[in-house]
Amino acid sequence: ELARFTEPGTYSGVKLGEECRPEPGDRNSELTGMLSVFGADAAVEAVPLLSAGSMPSGPWTAEVVSEMEAHLTAQLRLALASGRLDGVCAALHGAMASRDDRDLDGRMLELIRAEVGPDVPITVALDCHAVVTQRMAQHARAMVSYKTHPHLDLPETGAKAASLLLRALQEPGAGPVLHVTSLCCATLAG
């Protein structure tokens, strides 16, 4: 299954570092919006870490999760070791799951938080159908989602997440942009 995850045409594969940068004008990427905001500020250097994706295909296997965690951890450690990481702006789906963990987005944010420490702000761009969990809210300073379906505002959502990250870096004592104290689940009866 890991081979299928990285097979071009079936999955968008794994890109590391500068390979992550989208083509100029790409409207199908939150990263386009993030990089436009970061690029407009001469004091900011965007350091792409990892880009991965798949078509909807059911829960990830433990092997795929382990591979993604290894890539993400390695990239975070490289950025930290170089002194080039002051904040993290992530684009997550918001409904990733594995056979062993129904909250992979929360798990990835937890991994990022463990690597960068408690004082580095993390902002997140999410799909408008995201399943926001307490685990996600615990590790992110701010989360924003697309407003449209079909998803026509990916760059705008990425730009908003990037702007919130810059705000968090400029105003470190301002506290969370949105503090979630509780989340609830609703079941729809048919």
Side-chain angles (χ1 to χ4, degrees):
E1 289 177 86
L2 183 58
R4 277 194 11 204
F5 184 81
T6 58
E7 178 183 322
T10 304
Y11 296 95
S12 60
V14 177
K15 297 176 184 177
L16 302 175
E18 291 299 319
E19 296 176 342
C20 299
R21 290 189 186 272
E23 294 294 321
D26 182 353
R27 295 278 315 151
N28 198 28
S29 174
E30 301 93 326
L31 294 176
T32 301
M34 290 173 185
L35 293 172
S36 71
V37 169
F38 296 143
D41 188 328
V44 175
E45 176 189 8
V47 181
L49 300 178
L50 173 122
S51 177
S54 69
M55 296 303 294
S57 59
W60 286 10
T61 64
E63 181 184 22
V64 170
V65 172
S66 177
E67 183 81 13
M68 295 311 306
E69 288 178 333
H71 283 306
L72 181 56
T73 300
Q75 291 300 107
L76 285 165
R77 289 179 181 172
L78 281 172
L80 286 164
S82 71
R84 298 169 65 204
L85 196 144
D86 298 309
V88 176
C89 192
L92 298 173
H93 184 264
M96 290 190 301
S98 74
R99 294 178 181 157
D100 301 321
D101 191 337
R102 294 180 61 170
D103 181 15
L104 279 186
D105 296 282
R107 182 173 173 163
M108 294 299 158
L109 289 172
E110 188 173 64
L111 181 148
I112 293 167
R113 176 61 65 215
E115 291 297 325
V116 302
D119 299 325
V120 173
I122 301 168
T123 61
V124 184
L126 297 164
D127 188 292
C128 62
H129 310 289
V131 180
V132 177
T133 66
Q134 188 69 41
R135 189 178 187 186
M136 292 166 66
Q138 178 183 350
H139 299 292
R141 171 82 179 262
M143 292 182 278
V144 295
S145 70
Y146 318 149
K147 294 180 181 177
T148 62
H149 184 73
H151 308 320
L152 303 174
D153 61 336
L154 278 71
E156 292 81 4
T157 303
K160 181 69 173 175
S163 296
L164 290 169
L165 179 61
L166 291 181
R167 177 177 158 201
L169 289 167
Q170 293 163 354
E171 305 170 22
V177 175
L178 173 64
H179 181 68
V180 177
T181 56
S182 65
L183 299 168
C184 66
C185 297
T187 303
L188 301 176

